[in-house]
Every structure is written in structure tokens, then in C-alpha cells.
Amino acid sequence: YSDNKRIMKISSQDFPHSLGSFYSTFTEICGFKPQSDEWKLMGAAAYGKNNIYYKKIQNLINLKNDGSFELDLNYFNFYNFHKPNFYNNKLLDYIGLEKNNDKEKLKQPYYDLAMAAQKIFEDIYFHLINSLYKKKSSQNLVVSGGCALNSLANGKILEKTKFKNL
């Protein structure tokens, strides 16, 4: 928050429990380049028709009462810098999909996965934003960083939170 003289931290979310890395994981599974092509995952989410992956992915996330969240790190690799990929075989087995190797043509299951990843992203994003409001109630919110580029989520901030100005 700002006292008009300086900016001060209210809270933080520590790595490896990273919202951006979570989203990059599903970007990569859908066959896109992680930490680069997340906009493609966001676009693909619009073509999702089936929520079969939502509950599964939701079970890997713990929204904590302190306003933070945790990922079940048994399914993610982005914190293991010596291993390739943001995901591991346990995650692929759990969701029942292999990595898409045809990034030019997604099949419906990958659109459905993108939709579920977007919805879970929003669940976490609004959990973080709403907990921020409780800690420092202000009508004003500024978002920045990679996750702040998710225009689908940003378009819902004023509807899903108590902030009035974005």
C-alpha cells in the first residue's frame, strides 16, 4: 500500500507456491512455451466445453485462511531447476492427458484443460486479491507482474472483489 510517500508490502506469496508457475505448467502441457505463451492458454480457455479437469486440478490447490495458497508440489517440477518441464509424469497421469505435441492444432481435451486452468487461476487470483482487501481496505487496487496480464481475470476484479478502482 502507499502512504503517498512510499510503497509498502502488505503480504507476499512465496515460491514455489507460484500462481504464474501454476499457469505456466498448463501452458506447457497444452504444447505452448511456458513463461511466454500464456496468452495462448488464456485464449484456448474460451473454447473449453467440459469441466472434467476443474475438480481434479482444484484438488491440487489449498487456499489458506491467511490469504495465501499452496500447490501440491508432488505434481509440479518448476521448483526443481535440474529437471525439465514445469510438470511431471504424476501430474499427466493424474489428469489423464499427455503433453500436447501439436501446438498448431489443439484437440478438445486441451481446450477443456485450458478452461479449467483459467478457472483455477481465477479462484486463486481472487482469493489473493480479496485477502489483500481484508488486510488493508482501500477502494484502489494496482496489479502488476506477469499474472496481471491475464485480461480474463482482470475483467472480473471489480465484480468479484470489493475494490472500486483498478
Side-chain angles (χ1 to χ4, degrees):
Y1 75 98
S2 172
D3 63 0
N4 293 325
K5 295 180 185 169
R6 60 186 182 255
I7 296 175
M8 294 161 278
K9 179 170 65 172
I10 298 170
S11 65
S12 63
Q13 177 69 44
D14 294 327
F15 185 84
H17 302 284
S18 163
L19 182 56
S21 294
F22 162 82
Y23 205 69
S24 290
T25 298
F26 293 97
T27 298
E28 186 174 30
I29 292 171
C30 285
F32 306 123
K33 184 177 178 186
Q35 297 185 325
S36 177
D37 289 342
E38 283 70 18
W39 62 275
K40 292 179 182 179
L41 185 74
M42 186 174 50
Y47 296 97
K49 296 178 181 175
N50 191 329
N51 264 339
I52 62 170
Y53 301 109
Y54 177 81
K55 275 289 188 207
K56 282 189 163 197
I57 298 170
Q58 188 181 44
N59 290 332
L60 304 178
I61 310 300
N62 179 19
L63 300 178
K64 297 176 70 176
N65 290 334
D66 69 358
S68 66
F69 75 96
E70 288 183 349
L71 302 171
D72 185 338
L73 297 176
N74 292 307
Y75 295 89
F76 300 90
N77 265 359
F78 49 79
Y79 62 97
N80 290 319
F81 301 110
H82 63 286
K83 293 183 179 180
N85 303 322
F86 277 65
Y87 60 89
N88 58 33
N89 286 336
K90 188 173 183 176
L91 179 59
L92 296 178
D93 290 344
Y94 178 69
I95 61 175
L97 280 177
E98 292 297 319
K99 178 185 177 195
N100 177 40
N101 289 316
D102 185 3
K103 61 184 173 187
E104 299 302 317
K105 185 171 182 180
L106 289 183
K107 293 189 169 111
Q108 191 60 48
Y110 295 99
Y111 289 120
D112 296 341
L113 182 64
M115 181 180 76
Q118 177 66 33
K119 285 184 175 190
I120 297 294
F121 175 94
E122 291 175 12
D123 291 348
I124 298 168
Y125 197 53
F126 297 128
H127 173 74
L128 295 170
I129 291 172
N130 283 318
S131 71
L132 180 66
Y133 184 86
K134 290 176 189 172
K135 291 175 183 173
K136 204 69 174 171
S137 61
S138 167
Q139 298 299 305
N140 307 313
L141 176 67
V142 175
V143 293
S144 66
C147 290
L149 295 174
N150 193 306
S151 58
L152 286 177
N154 289 340
K156 300 172 186 174
I157 289 175
L158 298 180
E159 168 192 337
K160 302 234 177 214
T161 74
K162 293 185 178 183
F163 288 100
K164 302 294 180 214
N165 303 302
L166 179 61

